[in-house]
Amino acid sequence: MIVGFGHITYGQTYNNFETDSVTAPEPFKPSKTQFMIRGYGHTGLNFMNTEGEKESSYVGSAFAPIFLFKHSDRLMFEAELEFGLENNELEVGLEYADVMYILNKNMTVRAGKFLLPFGTFMERLHPAWINRLPTRPLGFGHDGIAPASGIGVELRGAFDLGGPKLNYAVYSTNGPRLKDGSVEPEEAGMLMFQNFEDNNNSKAFGGRIGLLPFADSSTEIGFSSYSTSKVGTTDSEYENVGVFLYAIDFAFIKQIPAISGFIDIKGQYNNSDIDDATYTEVHEDGDEEEYTFDNKSNSFYAQLSYRPTMASSDFMKKLELVGRYSNLNTPEGAEWEERSDQYAFSLNYWLTWRSVIKVAYQTTDSVGGHDGGGTANGFFIHWAIGF
Amino acid sequence: MKTIHKILVVAVVIFTTGGMIVGCSSTKNAYTAATDVQDEFKIEKSGAQMWGEACNRCHLAPSPADYNDTDWSTIALHMRVRANLAENEIAKIETFLKSAN
């Protein structure tokens, strides 16, 4: 003991903190070049009842990492991958991959595959942790009439008008290609927006103008259009089929003390007009029949949500009530003719600002469409997280 | 359809050209040379206020503490383009997030 304490006590008597050369730590110097992974994922349980046919399934975890590479204060590369489990298979998709450069305070140029500013839902609101419901409105996604992304070049920016704000985007992309029915006869006349290698020399042009008329930025009204003079393959009989699409979107988000919380209203109307063309239907006996139809479609959704953020209870503050109506009308006379109305309701609980549990009910009434129409009811419990 | 497409193409070209001229005409902020009197009466939103307004337009406003300063720089550049925010708006939001994390 004596030897031990003696050793400790006298062991370092030479150490003088006042005279020691202590190197001051250098302040942290972040580099201008930065790499970051963000993204989102979700999982859940679905119960479906389609015309009395019941099914339930845990739905696989969708994982969507977003890669951000900040090359400098003006230059950035961004990409999003999507991993999902569908039809017992792993599906991988490249949601977007583009390079962007800030030209000046009002202009940014983007090139590559980017989300199209056709309305606001697909560009801003579709990620699972942002979308207040576990499903998308009718008209978006698979077999939807609104484009989600495109390969091309875009110029965008925003102006502060001293209170009101104006934002714009104009772009040129490969544009969609027309399904002529040779592969999927039941989809003849539909547009396929995944046109990675252009099937003709005509490019699509489009844009969106958004106006936030009030100084509190609570309201935004947007108008989008998208057009191309050719969607058919070069030298095919459908080469000169043209397309004009437009969308009108609306948003109102504001905390209103009188109702002790946030009210969030969103809506979008999509309209698609494709030049008429003649398609061929092959009957079971081998006979061929030509047919045409007025190729016009439209869809609409309106969504209302309420969060009692000013409630006295912490539990209540994290709740959110959501209701959505959506509707889809596809051309009369087409093989994919459909009239659908959908109502969806959800009770959400926000664990954090980027993690939400959704308990939702949805009912869809359809006439026509892939499944032949009828009533489909669904109950969903989903958990989504952004990171 | 051809006519509509031509009109749209012309509109895109005019808009792009006009935007280029306006956007590139000056990179200076015209409001920086305000006089003392103007400064006294100028009412500007804080970064915190803009953070509450801009972020909530799509998703719940993020907690400043969830990322460090360098991460916020990257996220700010990403969100400026994704949400099409004005330069002064995102600059103030970024400053607020870095000061409050």
Side-chain angles (χ1 to χ4, degrees):
Chain A
M1 285 286 287
I2 292 168
V3 173
F5 278 113
H7 176 75
I8 293 167
T9 307
Y10 295 104
Q12 296 204 2
T13 50
Y14 62 85
N15 194 350
N16 185 338
F17 291 101
E18 290 178 1
T19 55
D20 270 359
S21 60
V22 178
T23 308
E26 287 191 5
F28 176 63
K29 292 180 181 176
S31 63
K32 278 190 174 180
T33 299
Q34 286 153 29
F35 180 72
M36 194 175 181
I37 296 180
R38 297 193 67 203
Y40 59 93
H42 68 96
T43 186
L45 178 61
N46 291 358
F47 297 94
M48 293 299 297
N49 183 344
T50 308
E51 291 290 298
E53 193 177 314
K54 295 179 182 175
E55 58 180 283
S56 69
S57 179
Y58 288 104
V59 287
S61 305
F63 170 53
I66 297 173
F67 303 89
L68 302 175
F69 174 67
K70 182 168 169 271
H71 188 274
S72 71
D73 291 339
R74 288 172 176 264
L75 183 62
M76 173 179 263
F77 177 82
E78 58 170 10
E80 179 183 328
L81 290 175
E82 264 198 349
F83 297 88
L85 299 172
E86 291 215 3
N87 302 322
N88 285 326
E89 286 183 358
L90 171 66
E91 290 197 353
V92 182
L94 181 65
E95 186 90 342
Y96 58 83
D98 60 76
V99 61
M100 62 175 81
Y101 185 76
I102 308 284
L103 290 172
N104 56 48
K105 66 179 182 180
N106 303 118
M107 305 181 92
T108 300
V109 65
R110 286 202 296 183
K113 185 172 192 267
F114 50 86
L115 295 173
L116 291 179
F118 186 78
T120 52
F121 184 81
M122 286 311 295
E123 187 188 35
R124 302 181 189 174
L125 308 173
H126 84 275
W129 72 279
I130 296 176
N131 185 3
R132 301 300 203 264
L133 285 151
T135 59
R136 293 175 181 179
L138 295 171
F140 296 95
H142 185 63
D143 291 346
I145 65 167
S149 62
I151 300 175
V153 63
E154 181 201 51
L155 186 70
R156 62 166 45 207
F159 293 89
D160 185 347
L161 307 176
K165 294 182 182 71
L166 179 79
N167 58 69
Y168 71 92
V170 289
Y171 57 85
S172 174
T173 64
N174 283 341
R177 61 172 66 195
L178 185 74
K179 293 183 178 179
D180 58 11
S182 55
V183 179
E184 294 172 297
E186 70 280 6
E187 295 189 348
M190 258 189 186
L191 291 179
M192 186 170 71
F193 292 102
Q194 292 193 332
N195 194 9
F196 300 150
E197 242 176 75
D198 207 349
N199 60 334
N200 55 50
N201 291 322
S202 173
K203 302 299 171 220
F205 291 88
R208 177 180 180 273
I209 289 185
L211 177 67
L212 292 88
F214 305 119
D216 63 0
S217 299
S218 61
T219 308
E220 182 171 7
I221 303 162
F223 177 77
S224 314
S225 63
Y226 178 89
S227 168
T228 177
S229 60
K230 294 178 182 179
V231 289
T233 305
T234 301
D235 295 333
S236 75
E237 62 179 302
Y238 301 103
E239 180 181 1
N240 292 320
V241 173
V243 167
F244 179 71
L245 284 74
Y246 70 87
I248 299 165
D249 60 83
F250 174 81
F252 174 80
I253 302 103
K254 194 173 174 65
Q255 183 164 252
I256 301 172
I259 55 171
S260 303
F262 263 95
I263 196 95
D264 185 338
I265 302 170
K266 288 191 171 71
Q268 184 171 327
Y269 172 78
N270 305 314
N271 190 288
S272 165
D273 188 351
I274 304 167
D275 283 340
D276 296 349
T278 302
Y279 305 96
T280 306
E281 182 181 4
V282 181
H283 296 290
E284 289 179 355
D285 57 8
D287 286 348
E288 292 186 352
E289 184 186 351
E290 291 189 336
Y291 70 103
T292 187
F293 52 89
D294 189 15
N295 202 344
K296 292 184 173 65
S297 306
N298 62 66
S299 72
F300 169 75
Y301 89 90
Q303 178 178 295
L304 170 67
S305 68
Y306 169 67
R307 276 189 299 129
T309 49
M310 298 164 79
S312 53
S313 157
D314 282 345
F315 177 79
M316 290 293 289
K317 281 180 185 174
K318 295 176 179 176
L319 287 179
E320 182 175 38
L321 293 167
V322 190
R324 184 186 73 200
Y325 167 73
S326 67
N327 155 281
L328 171 67
N329 299 298
T330 56
E332 195 177 339
E335 293 280 316
W336 40 288
E337 176 184 349
E338 180 180 348
R339 300 272 179 280
S340 294
D341 291 288
Q342 183 184 82
Y343 294 88
F345 306 93
S346 185
L347 177 63
N348 299 342
Y349 183 77
W350 288 92
L351 298 168
T352 68
W353 64 273
R354 53 186 170 173
S355 176
V356 59
I357 294 171
K358 309 171 196 176
V359 180
Y361 173 76
Q362 176 178 291
T363 179
T364 311
D365 282 312
S366 302
V367 176
H370 278 304
D371 303 326
T375 301
N377 299 321
F379 179 71
F380 311 89
I381 302 171
H382 277 220
W383 186 0
I385 183 167
F387 52 86
Chain B
M1 205 66 70
K2 295 273 187 290
T3 311
I4 295 174
H5 179 67
K6 283 176 185 169
I7 292 169
L8 187 67
V9 172
V10 171
V12 167
V13 171
I14 292 172
F15 192 90
T16 307
T17 312
M20 284 279 189
I21 293 166
V22 173
C24 300
S25 58
S26 172
T27 54
K28 293 178 181 174
N29 189 342
Y31 299 103
T32 50
T35 63
D36 292 343
V37 177
Q38 283 173 317
D39 272 339
E40 193 177 337
F41 291 99
K42 192 163 64 177
I43 300 170
E44 282 195 353
K45 284 186 194 174
S46 65
Q49 197 176 351
M50 287 182 166
W51 160 76
E53 289 175 359
C55 304
N56 275 311
R57 291 215 294 269
C58 296
H59 55 74
L60 271 58
S63 165
D66 282 344
Y67 297 101
N68 62 30
D69 286 5
T70 51
D71 287 345
W72 280 127
S73 297
T74 307
I75 294 167
L77 183 58
H78 172 64
M79 291 311 303
R80 172 182 176 175
V81 178
R82 180 78 180 264
N84 227 351
L85 301 175
E87 186 205 35
N88 63 342
E89 195 176 12
I90 194 65
K92 284 192 172 184
I93 292 170
E94 186 181 343
T95 304
F96 161 71
L97 290 166
K98 287 179 176 178
S99 68
N101 64 356

